[in-house]
Amino acid sequence: MLSDKMAQAINNQINRELWSAYLYLSMSMDAEAEGLRGIANWFYVQFREEQDHARIFMNYLNAQGCRVTLQPIEPVQQHWESLQAAFADTLKHEQKVTAFIHELAKQAEAEHDYATQNMLRWFIDEQVEEEQSVGDILNTLRHMAGLGQGLYLLDKDLATRTYSVPSPLATAE
Ligand code: FEO
């Protein structure tokens, strides 16, 4: 059984995850429009992962007998001036999400809500991974500035990212 406050906080996080999905879908479509299909693939996988994150939180509320209340998704930016700008925004956004996840963890801890603390552990680890992978791409972009073939190679590299079902959903559906 969750407190109303905890259930509301998780509902808010579902909206943020869905907004994140919409943001990355927009980045994916922007990259497609620029003919960067590998970059578009990377953001499309990111789009799918964010939907999974929302689904994990929804499954958790359902399992706890709480109602999921879907809220409107706010509009997202449609175009980025450069790849650096898109990935810098991605890192900034993920850092914000990390802070929200930590806020949820703090609240769960204060309420002695052990089930929610346990559920959030996967997200805490996931955020470390997300920030690291985006940070790595930003570093690559920085190093390849001035290299003519760099963008071509990065686009080819990011085309290889594949989607896999996150472990909390692996047996759920
Ligand atoms: Fe759902 Fe990218 O954090």
Side-chain angles (χ1 to χ4, degrees), residues 4-22:
D4 287 348
K5 192 176 164 204
M6 195 74 238
Q8 184 57 52
I10 293 173
N11 255 304
N12 291 343
Q13 188 60 30
I14 290 168
N15 183 263
R16 292 190 197 108
E17 299 291 349
L18 293 173
W19 188 86
S20 302
Y22 203 39

PDB file of all heavy atoms in Angstrom, residues 4-22:
ATOM      1  N   ASP A   4      -0.831   8.302  -0.471  1.00  0.00           N
ATOM      2  CA  ASP A   4      -1.352   9.095  -1.597  1.00  0.00           C
ATOM      3  C   ASP A   4      -0.246   9.969  -2.179  1.00  0.00           C
ATOM      4  O   ASP A   4      -0.149  10.172  -3.381  1.00  0.00           O
ATOM      5  CB  ASP A   4      -2.514   9.991  -1.130  1.00  0.00           C
ATOM      6  CG  ASP A   4      -3.767   9.161  -0.861  1.00  0.00           C
ATOM      7  OD1 ASP A   4      -3.775   7.974  -1.259  1.00  0.00           O
ATOM      8  OD2 ASP A   4      -4.710   9.695  -0.246  1.00  0.00           O
ATOM      9  N   LYS A   5       0.591  10.490  -1.283  1.00  0.00           N
ATOM     10  CA  LYS A   5       1.665  11.392  -1.717  1.00  0.00           C
ATOM     11  C   LYS A   5       2.663  10.639  -2.623  1.00  0.00           C
ATOM     12  O   LYS A   5       3.098  11.167  -3.650  1.00  0.00           O
ATOM     13  CB  LYS A   5       2.380  11.926  -0.468  1.00  0.00           C
ATOM     14  CG  LYS A   5       3.304  13.064  -0.718  1.00  0.00           C
ATOM     15  CD  LYS A   5       3.886  13.598   0.579  1.00  0.00           C
ATOM     16  CE  LYS A   5       5.088  14.467   0.271  1.00  0.00           C
ATOM     17  NZ  LYS A   5       6.022  14.571   1.364  1.00  0.00           N
ATOM     18  N   MET A   6       2.979   9.411  -2.225  1.00  0.00           N
ATOM     19  CA  MET A   6       3.932   8.612  -3.023  1.00  0.00           C
ATOM     20  C   MET A   6       3.312   8.257  -4.373  1.00  0.00           C
ATOM     21  O   MET A   6       3.961   8.353  -5.416  1.00  0.00           O
ATOM     22  CB  MET A   6       4.275   7.337  -2.234  1.00  0.00           C
ATOM     23  CG  MET A   6       5.496   6.600  -2.730  1.00  0.00           C
ATOM     24  SD  MET A   6       7.036   7.437  -2.300  1.00  0.00           S
ATOM     25  CE  MET A   6       7.733   7.673  -3.908  1.00  0.00           C
ATOM     26  N   ALA A   7       2.040   7.836  -4.350  1.00  0.00           N
ATOM     27  CA  ALA A   7       1.364   7.457  -5.603  1.00  0.00           C
ATOM     28  C   ALA A   7       1.309   8.665  -6.550  1.00  0.00           C
ATOM     29  O   ALA A   7       1.534   8.535  -7.754  1.00  0.00           O
ATOM     30  CB  ALA A   7      -0.037   6.938  -5.307  1.00  0.00           C
ATOM     31  N   GLN A   8       1.049   9.843  -5.987  1.00  0.00           N
ATOM     32  CA  GLN A   8       0.983  11.058  -6.810  1.00  0.00           C
ATOM     33  C   GLN A   8       2.359  11.377  -7.407  1.00  0.00           C
ATOM     34  O   GLN A   8       2.485  11.740  -8.581  1.00  0.00           O
ATOM     35  CB  GLN A   8       0.491  12.230  -5.943  1.00  0.00           C
ATOM     36  CG  GLN A   8       0.281  13.530  -6.708  1.00  0.00           C
ATOM     37  CD  GLN A   8      -0.693  13.373  -7.879  1.00  0.00           C
ATOM     38  OE1 GLN A   8      -1.802  12.877  -7.708  1.00  0.00           O
ATOM     39  NE2 GLN A   8      -0.265  13.770  -9.077  1.00  0.00           N
ATOM     40  N   ALA A   9       3.382  11.217  -6.594  1.00  0.00           N
ATOM     41  CA  ALA A   9       4.752  11.506  -7.065  1.00  0.00           C
ATOM     42  C   ALA A   9       5.126  10.548  -8.196  1.00  0.00           C
ATOM     43  O   ALA A   9       5.766  10.947  -9.184  1.00  0.00           O
ATOM     44  CB  ALA A   9       5.733  11.391  -5.900  1.00  0.00           C
ATOM     45  N   ILE A  10       4.726   9.289  -8.093  1.00  0.00           N
ATOM     46  CA  ILE A  10       5.041   8.323  -9.159  1.00  0.00           C
ATOM     47  C   ILE A  10       4.217   8.641 -10.407  1.00  0.00           C
ATOM     48  O   ILE A  10       4.719   8.570 -11.534  1.00  0.00           O
ATOM     49  CB  ILE A  10       4.828   6.870  -8.665  1.00  0.00           C
ATOM     50  CG1 ILE A  10       5.876   6.562  -7.584  1.00  0.00           C
ATOM     51  CG2 ILE A  10       4.924   5.877  -9.817  1.00  0.00           C
ATOM     52  CD1 ILE A  10       5.693   5.236  -6.877  1.00  0.00           C
ATOM     53  N   ASN A  11       2.963   9.047 -10.215  1.00  0.00           N
ATOM     54  CA  ASN A  11       2.154   9.493 -11.360  1.00  0.00           C
ATOM     55  C   ASN A  11       2.836  10.639 -12.103  1.00  0.00           C
ATOM     56  O   ASN A  11       2.863  10.671 -13.335  1.00  0.00           O
ATOM     57  CB  ASN A  11       0.784   9.973 -10.873  1.00  0.00           C
ATOM     58  CG  ASN A  11      -0.295   8.962 -11.188  1.00  0.00           C
ATOM     59  OD1 ASN A  11      -0.485   8.566 -12.335  1.00  0.00           O
ATOM     60  ND2 ASN A  11      -0.988   8.517 -10.155  1.00  0.00           N
ATOM     61  N   ASN A  12       3.390  11.577 -11.356  1.00  0.00           N
ATOM     62  CA  ASN A  12       4.093  12.701 -11.985  1.00  0.00           C
ATOM     63  C   ASN A  12       5.307  12.206 -12.768  1.00  0.00           C
ATOM     64  O   ASN A  12       5.617  12.710 -13.846  1.00  0.00           O
ATOM     65  CB  ASN A  12       4.554  13.716 -10.930  1.00  0.00           C
ATOM     66  CG  ASN A  12       3.379  14.442 -10.300  1.00  0.00           C
ATOM     67  OD1 ASN A  12       2.278  14.431 -10.831  1.00  0.00           O
ATOM     68  ND2 ASN A  12       3.611  15.060  -9.147  1.00  0.00           N
ATOM     69  N   GLN A  13       5.988  11.200 -12.206  1.00  0.00           N
ATOM     70  CA  GLN A  13       7.173  10.678 -12.893  1.00  0.00           C
ATOM     71  C   GLN A  13       6.779   9.965 -14.188  1.00  0.00           C
ATOM     72  O   GLN A  13       7.505  10.027 -15.181  1.00  0.00           O
ATOM     73  CB  GLN A  13       7.957   9.738 -11.961  1.00  0.00           C
ATOM     74  CG  GLN A  13       9.303   9.295 -12.514  1.00  0.00           C
ATOM     75  CD  GLN A  13      10.247  10.456 -12.793  1.00  0.00           C
ATOM     76  OE1 GLN A  13      10.194  11.482 -12.128  1.00  0.00           O
ATOM     77  NE2 GLN A  13      11.094  10.306 -13.800  1.00  0.00           N
ATOM     78  N   ILE A  14       5.618   9.319 -14.211  1.00  0.00           N
ATOM     79  CA  ILE A  14       5.135   8.673 -15.450  1.00  0.00           C
ATOM     80  C   ILE A  14       5.006   9.731 -16.545  1.00  0.00           C
ATOM     81  O   ILE A  14       5.432   9.537 -17.681  1.00  0.00           O
ATOM     82  CB  ILE A  14       3.785   7.957 -15.201  1.00  0.00           C
ATOM     83  CG1 ILE A  14       4.015   6.731 -14.312  1.00  0.00           C
ATOM     84  CG2 ILE A  14       3.105   7.567 -16.511  1.00  0.00           C
ATOM     85  CD1 ILE A  14       2.738   6.107 -13.749  1.00  0.00           C
ATOM     86  N   ASN A  15       4.451  10.881 -16.181  1.00  0.00           N
ATOM     87  CA  ASN A  15       4.308  11.955 -17.167  1.00  0.00           C
ATOM     88  C   ASN A  15       5.679  12.427 -17.660  1.00  0.00           C
ATOM     89  O   ASN A  15       5.870  12.669 -18.853  1.00  0.00           O
ATOM     90  CB  ASN A  15       3.520  13.119 -16.563  1.00  0.00           C
ATOM     91  CG  ASN A  15       3.277  14.220 -17.573  1.00  0.00           C
ATOM     92  OD1 ASN A  15       4.026  15.193 -17.609  1.00  0.00           O
ATOM     93  ND2 ASN A  15       2.271  14.065 -18.417  1.00  0.00           N
ATOM     94  N   ARG A  16       6.629  12.511 -16.750  1.00  0.00           N
ATOM     95  CA  ARG A  16       7.980  12.961 -17.152  1.00  0.00           C
ATOM     96  C   ARG A  16       8.639  11.949 -18.085  1.00  0.00           C
ATOM     97  O   ARG A  16       9.343  12.323 -19.023  1.00  0.00           O
ATOM     98  CB  ARG A  16       8.870  13.154 -15.922  1.00  0.00           C
ATOM     99  CG  ARG A  16       8.427  14.306 -15.059  1.00  0.00           C
ATOM    100  CD  ARG A  16       9.477  14.605 -13.993  1.00  0.00           C
ATOM    101  NE  ARG A  16       8.885  15.417 -12.954  1.00  0.00           N
ATOM    102  CZ  ARG A  16       8.591  14.982 -11.729  1.00  0.00           C
ATOM    103  NH1 ARG A  16       8.872  13.749 -11.360  1.00  0.00           N
ATOM    104  NH2 ARG A  16       8.043  15.786 -10.858  1.00  0.00           N
ATOM    105  N   GLU A  17       8.427  10.663 -17.818  1.00  0.00           N
ATOM    106  CA  GLU A  17       9.026   9.638 -18.684  1.00  0.00           C
ATOM    107  C   GLU A  17       8.391   9.708 -20.080  1.00  0.00           C
ATOM    108  O   GLU A  17       9.084   9.562 -21.087  1.00  0.00           O
ATOM    109  CB  GLU A  17       8.838   8.235 -18.082  1.00  0.00           C
ATOM    110  CG  GLU A  17       9.484   8.032 -16.715  1.00  0.00           C
ATOM    111  CD  GLU A  17      11.008   8.016 -16.729  1.00  0.00           C
ATOM    112  OE1 GLU A  17      11.600   7.949 -17.810  1.00  0.00           O
ATOM    113  OE2 GLU A  17      11.602   8.083 -15.627  1.00  0.00           O
ATOM    114  N   LEU A  18       7.089   9.934 -20.117  1.00  0.00           N
ATOM    115  CA  LEU A  18       6.421  10.021 -21.423  1.00  0.00           C
ATOM    116  C   LEU A  18       6.836  11.288 -22.160  1.00  0.00           C
ATOM    117  O   LEU A  18       6.988  11.295 -23.385  1.00  0.00           O
ATOM    118  CB  LEU A  18       4.893   9.940 -21.246  1.00  0.00           C
ATOM    119  CG  LEU A  18       4.393   8.570 -20.753  1.00  0.00           C
ATOM    120  CD1 LEU A  18       2.900   8.621 -20.449  1.00  0.00           C
ATOM    121  CD2 LEU A  18       4.674   7.469 -21.781  1.00  0.00           C
ATOM    122  N   TRP A  19       7.044  12.376 -21.413  1.00  0.00           N
ATOM    123  CA  TRP A  19       7.548  13.602 -22.044  1.00  0.00           C
ATOM    124  C   TRP A  19       8.940  13.351 -22.599  1.00  0.00           C
ATOM    125  O   TRP A  19       9.288  13.792 -23.702  1.00  0.00           O
ATOM    126  CB  TRP A  19       7.563  14.766 -21.037  1.00  0.00           C
ATOM    127  CG  TRP A  19       7.880  16.081 -21.691  1.00  0.00           C
ATOM    128  CD1 TRP A  19       6.997  16.926 -22.285  1.00  0.00           C
ATOM    129  CD2 TRP A  19       9.176  16.679 -21.847  1.00  0.00           C
ATOM    130  NE1 TRP A  19       7.661  18.017 -22.805  1.00  0.00           N
ATOM    131  CE2 TRP A  19       9.002  17.893 -22.546  1.00  0.00           C
ATOM    132  CE3 TRP A  19      10.462  16.312 -21.458  1.00  0.00           C
ATOM    133  CZ2 TRP A  19      10.066  18.745 -22.865  1.00  0.00           C
ATOM    134  CZ3 TRP A  19      11.524  17.152 -21.779  1.00  0.00           C
ATOM    135  CH2 TRP A  19      11.311  18.354 -22.470  1.00  0.00           C
ATOM    136  N   SER A  20       9.764  12.619 -21.826  1.00  0.00           N
ATOM    137  CA  SER A  20      11.124  12.278 -22.294  1.00  0.00           C
ATOM    138  C   SER A  20      11.026  11.487 -23.597  1.00  0.00           C
ATOM    139  O   SER A  20      11.784  11.734 -24.542  1.00  0.00           O
ATOM    140  CB  SER A  20      11.862  11.406 -21.268  1.00  0.00           C
ATOM    141  OG  SER A  20      11.943  12.044 -20.024  1.00  0.00           O
ATOM    142  N   ALA A  21      10.101  10.529 -23.652  1.00  0.00           N
ATOM    143  CA  ALA A  21       9.931   9.731 -24.870  1.00  0.00           C
ATOM    144  C   ALA A  21       9.618  10.649 -26.051  1.00  0.00           C
ATOM    145  O   ALA A  21      10.197  10.525 -27.139  1.00  0.00           O
ATOM    146  CB  ALA A  21       8.808   8.710 -24.679  1.00  0.00           C
ATOM    147  N   TYR A  22       8.730  11.590 -25.819  1.00  0.00           N
ATOM    148  CA  TYR A  22       8.311  12.511 -26.881  1.00  0.00           C
ATOM    149  C   TYR A  22       9.478  13.412 -27.319  1.00  0.00           C
ATOM    150  O   TYR A  22       9.675  13.672 -28.510  1.00  0.00           O
ATOM    151  CB  TYR A  22       7.143  13.341 -26.335  1.00  0.00           C
ATOM    152  CG  TYR A  22       6.222  13.934 -27.378  1.00  0.00           C
ATOM    153  CD1 TYR A  22       5.859  13.231 -28.520  1.00  0.00           C
ATOM    154  CD2 TYR A  22       5.704  15.210 -27.197  1.00  0.00           C
ATOM    155  CE1 TYR A  22       5.014  13.791 -29.462  1.00  0.00           C
ATOM    156  CE2 TYR A  22       4.851  15.775 -28.141  1.00  0.00           C
ATOM    157  CZ  TYR A  22       4.514  15.065 -29.262  1.00  0.00           C
ATOM    158  OH  TYR A  22       3.680  15.624 -30.181  1.00  0.00           O
TER     159      TYR A  22
END
